[in-house]
Amino acid sequence: MEYDKKILKIASKITAASLSESGKFDCETAKETVAFLKTVYEGIFPLKESEDYIKDAFKAAGKITAAACEEMEEPDGETAAKFFVTVYRGIAPVAAEEDFDEDVFKYAAKITAAACEEMEEPDEEKANEAAEFLKALYLGLTAEEPEEEPEEETEQEPEEETEEEPKEETEQEPEEACAGKYLVKETKSGFSFRLAAGNSKVIGTSEVYSSKAAMEKGIESVRKNAPAANLEDQTAENYETATCPKFEIYNDKAGEFRFRLKARNGEIILASEGYKTKAACENGIESVRKNAKAKICE
């Protein structure tokens, strides 16, 4: 195996983090540390050599894994390497998108790493959760859409359209023109969708799915879970944890309000943009409930 400086650097950071709680400083510990580092290095090396290697995802996985290993009771290189590989594979599709935003991805990785610092025993299930958390953050931070566009025009048009036919036009528009629509987006890494309201404003964005069929299942999950989902306001003091399916309201790094929709299995299936007020965020949730049954627009 050819020596790789970047991989050794990442493996060293993960190894150092795993020793932060040990308090040991002797020859035996040194031998165990060397074994740990070698195992991590060999475990992540094949990813760097693969054809679809993505540098930003590799760095992010290193930060997150190092943070997750800080509280390890018994440092185990194989566990750390598996955790790294699982996180990397989970977030690589995001970093492979054509419109990938490197800066936002870095912020999302830092936040995810901070969230993993108290992790007692990193395993593959928790690695999947960390990857989903990062993806939801990234999608939420990049989902901002111009708010000016059609809002005023669609609200003014019905009122200026004469008073003779209000019943037929206002009743048919939400149902036939489907109050909203699912906008499908294809990238080189897969498929994603956005749910837009009747005024064309995007109110929620999905993760990237590896296939169109998987994406369509994601849309069906939103249709099924959104209308009756519970509400969990994580910005409220002493809030109560709701059962899934549920909408979670939370504050992002900028202090804005966001929501995410989780399916019955706890998977995030839709994430919002940032709102200045909680009331606007709650309106966004109601809009998702109202438009969940919308049609797919290719």
Side-chain angles (χ1 to χ4, degrees):
M1 186 186 291
E2 191 177 326
Y3 163 75
D4 188 298
K5 185 178 177 181
K6 287 182 180 176
I7 297 178
L8 183 61
K9 191 174 180 181
I10 289 174
S12 297
K13 286 182 179 179
I14 296 169
T15 305
S18 74
L19 291 171
S20 63
E21 294 295 314
S22 70
K24 294 178 183 177
F25 191 67
D26 53 41
C27 292
E28 189 59 37
T29 303
K31 288 177 187 175
E32 291 170 1
T33 302
V34 170
F36 183 101
L37 193 152
K38 281 183 177 179
T39 303
V40 174
Y41 182 97
E42 290 168 4
I44 67 178
F45 183 89
L47 296 176
K48 177 80 164 35
E49 295 304 294
S50 62
E51 289 181 5
D52 56 353
Y53 163 71
I54 298 172
K55 180 183 72 175
D56 293 288
F58 203 81
K59 285 182 180 177
K63 285 180 185 173
I64 294 166
T65 305
C69 288
E70 284 185 2
E71 297 291 325
M72 283 181 103
E73 290 184 339
E74 290 185 26
D76 178 74
E78 191 175 342
T79 297
K82 283 181 180 177
F83 187 93
F84 180 101
V85 171
T86 303
V87 171
Y88 174 85
R89 287 179 177 157
I91 63 178
V94 175
E97 285 191 49
E98 289 178 358
D99 55 352
F100 170 67
D101 190 318
E102 184 180 346
D103 289 331
V104 174
F105 191 81
K106 282 180 183 176
Y107 297 144
K110 282 182 181 178
I111 296 168
T112 305
C116 289
E117 284 178 357
E118 298 296 317
M119 193 178 285
E120 290 181 9
E121 206 52 54
D123 55 30
E124 290 181 78
E125 185 180 347
K126 289 175 183 171
N128 278 316
E129 290 174 0
E132 290 301 318
F133 185 86
L134 186 150
K135 286 193 287 186
L137 279 175
Y138 178 85
L139 288 170
L141 291 169
T142 55
E144 304 254 0
E145 293 283 328
E147 291 181 32
E148 316 109 60
E149 274 186 59
E151 249 177 60
E152 283 154 50
E153 292 174 58
T154 47
E155 274 169 46
Q156 284 170 3
E157 275 185 89
E159 292 178 293
E160 286 180 52
E161 283 221 6
T162 73
E163 295 172 26
E164 309 147 352
E165 327 174 342
K167 281 185 184 167
E168 279 154 62
E169 303 244 346
T170 49
E171 275 166 48
Q172 276 172 6
E173 278 213 59
E175 289 167 308
E176 278 194 10
C178 74
K181 56 191 171 186
Y182 288 95
L183 305 170
V184 174
K185 182 180 179 183
E186 182 177 2
T187 68
K188 61 183 179 182
S189 59
F191 296 83
S192 63
F193 64 83
R194 293 174 295 163
L195 175 58
N199 59 12
S200 297
K201 185 179 184 302
V202 172
I203 46 178
T205 306
S206 78
E207 66 171 337
V208 178
Y209 294 89
S210 57
S211 69
K212 191 173 183 180
M215 180 211 66
E216 287 171 347
K217 284 184 180 178
I219 290 175
E220 282 308 311
S221 186
V222 173
R223 286 172 171 163
K224 178 181 175 182
N225 290 293
N230 294 311
L231 181 62
E232 181 178 299
D233 183 0
Q234 298 179 355
T235 66
E237 193 175 349
N238 300 321
Y239 72 89
E240 289 187 18
T241 302
T243 55
C244 292
K246 63 182 175 180
F247 284 98
E248 293 178 342
I249 297 177
Y250 64 99
N251 289 122
D252 63 16
K253 190 179 179 183
E256 292 190 323
F257 294 87
R258 293 178 181 268
F259 67 79
R260 54 193 165 223
L261 172 60
K262 287 187 174 181
R264 199 169 295 279
N265 62 1
E267 181 185 352
I268 297 171
I269 50 177
L270 204 68
S272 80
E273 62 177 11
Y275 294 90
K276 299 291 183 188
T277 66
K278 188 191 289 189
C281 185
E282 289 170 339
N283 286 340
I285 290 173
E286 289 310 308
S287 186
V288 172
R289 292 189 196 276
K290 176 184 171 184
N291 293 288
K293 301 294 185 182
K295 297 175 185 176
I296 298 174
C297 296
E298 297 289 346

